Amino acid sequence: MIACLVFPSLAGCGAGHAGSTEALADVDGDHGGGLGGSPGSGSGAGTGAGAVGCDGLAVKLQAALDAAIDAQRLPGAAAAVDLGGCSFRGAAGMADIETKTPVKPGDLFRAGSITKTFISTLVLMLRAEGGLSLEDGVSRYVKGVPGGEQITIRQILNHTSGLFNYTESHDFLSAAEADPTRVWTPEELIAFSAAEAPYFEPGRDFEYSNTNYIVAGLIVEAVSGKPVVELLHTRILEPAGLVHTYLDGAEPAVPGLVRGYGSYDGELVDTTSAVDPSSAWTSGGLVSNTEDLTTFYVRLLDGGLLGPAELAEMTSGVGALSADAREYGLGLARRSSPVGTTYGHGGSIWGFVSASYYAVERGAGIAVLINHEDGDAKRIVDDLSRILKMP
């Protein structure tokens, strides 16, 4: 059970245990979101959605979100859609089942591996300034990485390093179960990976590994001489106006985190505090909301954070992450959707699932956050995308 509580993306976690009907019987939508010229305003301003109008589109998007949490039997979810002059901020279900507190559009969720895009962006910023080369061996900056002389920073960012995924280590999972409140250092997490054989020689294949982005976080700190959380704020969060995002376990929390859940033996279990957030750090420790995530990916892919050369590096894919992801670049997945090719990332961490993508040619940004680790956020992204595709 602890393996599923810690990182539910592991094979076999929770998929066979549906939440009880009774536990979810009181779940209904909080329709406090809106779609208009300003986020959440509910006004009809803006013409980016076409003939249907912003208000009409908001109704359809909210209905799709309501239907999705019913179909997946989720406690709750929040979603954001930006399209032209229209901005939808919606929510459905419960932020806390025990207190029957509804999810609000601006509520905070654990974002999981969406963190990886933020960290890759920092690395590419340092590269643009000449602080590092993507072809540098990681041992130049981080000690204790097996084969670090042969593994390049590029291979860390695009998951071709071959490093064993520490979240699949039985020793790590046993230690987390023994002491859920334990605060982890990045070096300790890398050591769990180093104790296992690599998947393959560097550059020979593609294998997603959270260890890569723990190493990436240490590289950022080694090159900059500053804590990664400081650079997140000064280089990304503050310039992009992301005031609801923080790296959990590395800085004070921002109020507003909803409760996260898993389903075990037909019952909902609150897994919000199952493991200390330091266990995810720069591989998946961000907390955010749909407003911030949509803004981040739009800003990033429109060239507001990186120059053309770095953005080209980031969007150049090397391998398939899953059946629905065509390619994985440097902390960024290229994925097909009903509104065309999108770039972004998904995430899965105890109690939460996330997905945020931007269709560059369509100019459509979509983010979905779920407070149940068995939820399918990408499926809801597609549900909302189909609404945008309608005439």
Side-chain angles (χ1 to χ4, degrees):
M1 179 174 175
I2 187 64
C4 300
L5 287 175
V6 177
F7 290 97
S9 59
L10 295 179
C13 290
H17 304 289
S20 68
T21 302
E22 182 177 354
L24 298 179
D26 293 323
V27 171
D28 56 14
D30 173 72
H31 298 172
L35 197 155
S38 59
S41 68
S43 71
T47 59
V52 69
C54 289
D55 285 344
L57 190 59
V59 172
K60 293 182 178 182
L61 291 170
Q62 184 64 54
L65 182 59
D66 292 340
I69 72 157
D70 288 342
Q72 295 192 36
R73 303 179 71 190
L74 302 172
V81 177
D82 286 331
L83 178 65
C86 297
S87 297
F88 167 75
R89 304 292 181 260
M94 293 291 158
D96 188 322
I97 296 297
E98 184 176 352
T99 63
K100 293 181 170 51
T101 302
V103 179
K104 299 183 293 297
D107 280 347
L108 305 183
F109 292 67
R110 297 193 190 282
S113 287
I114 285 177
T115 307
K116 292 178 172 66
T117 311
F118 285 75
I119 300 304
S120 180
T121 300
L122 288 179
V123 173
L124 289 167
M125 286 176 170
L126 295 173
R127 185 252 200 184
E129 296 165 359
L132 56 82
S133 166
L134 294 178
E135 313 314 321
D136 287 344
V138 300
S139 62
R140 179 175 177 179
Y141 307 101
V142 182
K143 305 302 180 184
V145 178
E149 297 83 2
Q150 289 77 43
I151 297 172
T152 67
I153 294 175
R154 182 188 301 277
Q155 290 165 346
I156 286 291
L157 297 181
N158 65 17
H159 296 291
T160 60
S161 71
L163 289 176
F164 186 85
N165 187 351
Y166 77 93
T167 63
E168 293 183 353
S169 162
H170 293 294
D171 288 343
F172 167 71
L173 295 172
S174 296
E177 180 179 22
D179 185 3
T181 64
R182 176 175 172 176
V183 176
W184 299 89
T185 68
E187 291 79 10
E188 288 173 329
L189 301 178
I190 292 172
F192 285 113
S193 173
E196 306 286 346
Y199 295 122
F200 46 78
E201 293 182 9
R204 290 293 184 91
D205 205 344
F206 174 90
E207 185 68 34
Y208 190 87
S209 174
N210 288 305
T211 308
N212 287 319
Y213 275 78
I214 299 297
V215 175
L218 290 176
I219 291 172
V220 166
E221 293 193 333
V223 173
S224 68
K226 299 177 181 178
V228 68
V229 69
E230 179 180 335
L231 262 68
L232 274 170
H233 280 272
T234 60
R235 306 299 299 272
I236 297 177
L237 303 183
E238 292 169 11
L242 311 182
V243 298
H244 304 290
T245 301
Y246 64 95
L247 188 60
D248 204 6
E251 60 179 313
V254 175
L257 179 66
V258 307
R259 307 304 296 178
Y261 299 92
S263 291
Y264 303 95
D265 297 326
E267 298 292 333
L268 280 179
V269 177
D270 189 328
T271 60
T272 312
S273 303
V275 185
D276 188 85
S278 62
S279 63
W281 198 50
T282 50
S283 73
L286 278 186
V287 171
S288 191
N289 66 3
T290 58
E291 167 82 19
D292 275 13
L293 293 180
T294 304
T295 299
F296 168 69
Y297 279 105
V298 172
R299 183 80 177 268
L300 173 66
L301 290 157
D302 278 351
L305 293 173
L306 294 174
E310 282 64 44
L311 196 55
E313 293 277 14
M314 181 176 255
T315 54
S316 296
V318 294
L321 177 64
S322 61
D324 68 344
R326 293 180 179 177
E327 292 180 324
Y328 192 93
L330 305 185
L332 199 65
R334 184 164 71 96
R335 181 176 181 268
S336 299
S337 84
V339 289
T341 299
T342 63
Y343 291 92
H345 214 290
S348 178
I349 197 166
W350 66 93
F352 299 87
V353 176
S354 60
S356 188
Y357 288 87
Y358 181 52
V360 179
E361 292 183 1
R362 185 74 171 87
I366 303 177
V368 173
L369 298 172
I370 296 172
N371 63 340
H372 193 293
E373 58 202 39
D374 294 339
D376 189 340
K378 293 177 185 176
R379 178 179 167 188
I380 300 179
V381 167
D382 288 345
D383 291 341
L384 301 178
S385 296
R386 290 186 190 96
I387 303 298
L388 301 184
K389 192 176 180 182
M390 293 179 181

